[in-house]
Amino acid sequence: MRRLSYALVLSGLVTGMVMASALAHAQVGEPKNVQVLKGKSTKEIREYMKTFTAGLGVKCDFCHNLKDYASDEKPTKLTGREFLKLMNTINQQVAAINRTAMKKQKVDQVTCYTCHHGQKEIVSKAPVSKDDE
Ligand code: HEC
Ligand code: HEC
């Protein structure tokens, strides 16, 4: 009897440890589906993603299935990834301009907020130039 309960406690302990490590992996383990943010941990990505939510004025579920952040099932996530690439390309150019043209006053790196201003939809207010009329 004593031996049986010892075995039960032990097996419960092992199950608990396996579950805890699976949970830790899901939350802080290596990301499973990154094409742009390579080399960042899941924790770092979660922190970085706050620039997306603040930039667009949305919550995580605008782009993610909250049960599976690695999934690409939402079209907004795919669009977001393309804008992330666009932003990185712009920022390479910004860095180059800061190295060459802007000796004193530096140009800020572009973020989602630069264009979105906390809105997911952007209303273009660009004036029509005289030449186009
Ligand atoms: C505008 C869309 C968008 C929003 C909003 C957003 N994300 Fe993401 N998220 C992405 C994209 C795009 C990727 C993939 C980046 C890549 O491919 O490098 C990603 C990747 C991730 C990953 C890595 C998943 C994996 O294992 O591959 C995590 C974790 C994550 N996001 C968490 C969050 C959290 C937490 C929030 C809310 C604070 C959030 N995201 C808000 C677009 C978004
Ligand atoms: C150079 C300007 C610019 C930058 C920087 C930018 N966006 Fe956008 N984004 C736009 C424009 C313009 C649209 C189209 C807006 C519309 O349809 O109202 C758009 C649309 C989107 C959409 C589609 C919204 C929807 O309702 O379907 C997503 C998602 C998005 N951007 C994510 C991002 C994320 C994430 C970042 C930062 C990594 C980002 N954008 C940075 C200009 C930009």
Side-chain angles (χ1 to χ4, degrees):
M1 190 59 195
R2 191 173 236 192
R3 181 167 280 205
L4 182 68
S5 62
Y6 178 72
L8 276 175
V9 168
L10 196 70
S11 81
L13 212 69
V14 170
T15 313
M17 277 159 61
V18 169
M19 279 167 65
S21 96
L23 201 67
H25 189 76
Q27 284 170 356
V28 297
E30 292 305 307
K32 292 193 224 61
N33 181 24
V34 289
Q35 294 171 26
V36 185
L37 303 173
K38 289 181 187 142
K40 285 191 197 289
S41 71
T42 300
K43 194 166 175 251
E44 287 165 340
I45 291 177
R46 292 183 77 95
E47 196 54 39
Y48 182 71
M49 287 286 143
K50 291 179 188 165
T51 65
F52 286 20
T53 47
L56 275 68
V58 296
K59 298 216 168 98
C60 311
D61 69 355
F62 181 64
C63 298
H64 291 287
N65 170 353
L66 299 186
K67 293 198 177 95
D68 182 9
Y69 281 96
S71 162
D72 279 348
E73 70 198 63
K74 294 207 177 184
T76 41
K77 183 180 176 190
L78 299 175
T79 309
R81 185 181 276 130
E82 294 313 307
F83 274 101
L84 176 58
K85 291 179 195 165
L86 170 77
M87 190 185 74
N88 287 345
T89 305
I90 294 173
N91 283 334
Q92 282 172 11
Q93 194 67 30
V94 166
I97 289 171
N98 279 337
R99 273 196 307 276
T100 55
M102 306 298 284
K103 296 291 181 213
K104 286 189 192 132
Q105 199 192 350
K106 301 294 181 189
V107 181
D108 284 341
Q109 293 267 298
V110 168
T111 66
C112 309
Y113 190 86
T114 309
C115 295
H116 281 268
H117 281 273
Q119 306 288 319
K120 56 181 188 282
E121 266 138 45
I122 296 172
V123 184
S124 173
K125 295 204 180 88
V128 181
S129 99
K130 283 261 186 282
D131 300 340
D132 295 341
E133 285 173 1

